[in-house]
Amino acid sequence: DIQMTQSPSTLSASVGDRVTITCRASQSISSWLAWYQQKPGKAPKLLIYKASRLESGVPSRFSGSGSGTEFTLTISSLQPDDFATYYCQHYNSYPYTFGQGTKVDIK
Amino acid sequence: QVHLVESGGGVVQPGRSLRLSCAASGFTFSNYGMHWVRQAPGKGLEWVAVISYDGSNKYYVDSVKGRFSISRDNSKNTLYLQVSSLRTEDTAVYYCARDMEMVTITGPDYWGQGTLVTVSS
């Protein structure tokens, strides 16, 4: 199985900050990676797919990059609505696996 | 718009079974693969299973193989997850989710609100 490792596990930031979350795969997954945002008590929301493609309706301050084994999610200017937990997930081969999550909270 | 509503969760004793359902609307259900993903209380997301658009292909995470069965009824726009031989570690919110592509299987895009399964004696 492919293991997905996110860093950091928790990130404290302020509104307006540039935030970067890293996701590493235990083997190459090409660009078969998605990023999700989840708020407490809510379902996850797709932000980015195929490593760098922005889902329709997602603000352009979110961007994704990477291929192979190393990927990043960047929020260019953190907004109050962005405080949440973020997960990466690969869909290269079964079983699909998620990273352990990165909680972005208020500094 | 895409709408997914899970049901069938509840409190169940270890070793017992449940059938979870997911009613879909707002899209052509028979064109999309569908996923189940679960989240234990206070924990991260775990992908559980996927079924192809026509039900011909099914894949599971190892921890549920032989105990869980994913199926669908395209005439009823409904996805199912039969969960059997339940263990305390199966306690979680179970989400159904649509695949982001038609016909092929990739990853989930739209998600339901989830149904809670609690396994406890």
Side-chain angles (χ1 to χ4, degrees), chain B residues 86-99:
Chain B
L86 282 163
R87 306 167 180 168
T88 54
E89 56 264 35
D90 295 319
T91 293
V93 173
Y94 285 74
Y95 294 100
C96 70
R98 191 190 77 166
D99 197 272

Side-chain angles (χ1 to χ4, degrees), chain A residues 1 32 34 36 38 41-46 49-50 55 87 89 91 94-100, chain B residues 35 37 39 43-47 50 59-62 95 100 105-113:
Chain A
D1 297 359
W32 303 118
Y36 299 90
Q38 188 180 34
K42 301 294 186 182
K45 173 186 174 184
L46 177 66
Y49 64 98
K50 212 169 180 184
E55 173 71 350
Y87 295 92
Q89 184 203 22
Y91 48 102
Y94 302 110
Y96 295 169
T97 48
F98 290 87
Q100 80 278 16
Chain B
H35 302 258
V37 177
Q39 186 169 37
K43 302 296 184 183
L45 300 168
E46 180 182 33
W47 180 86
V50 66
Y59 302 94
Y60 301 89
V61 68
D62 281 352
Y95 294 100
M100 61 182 85
I105 296 176
T106 54
D109 58 2
Y110 290 96
W111 299 57
Q113 85 291 346

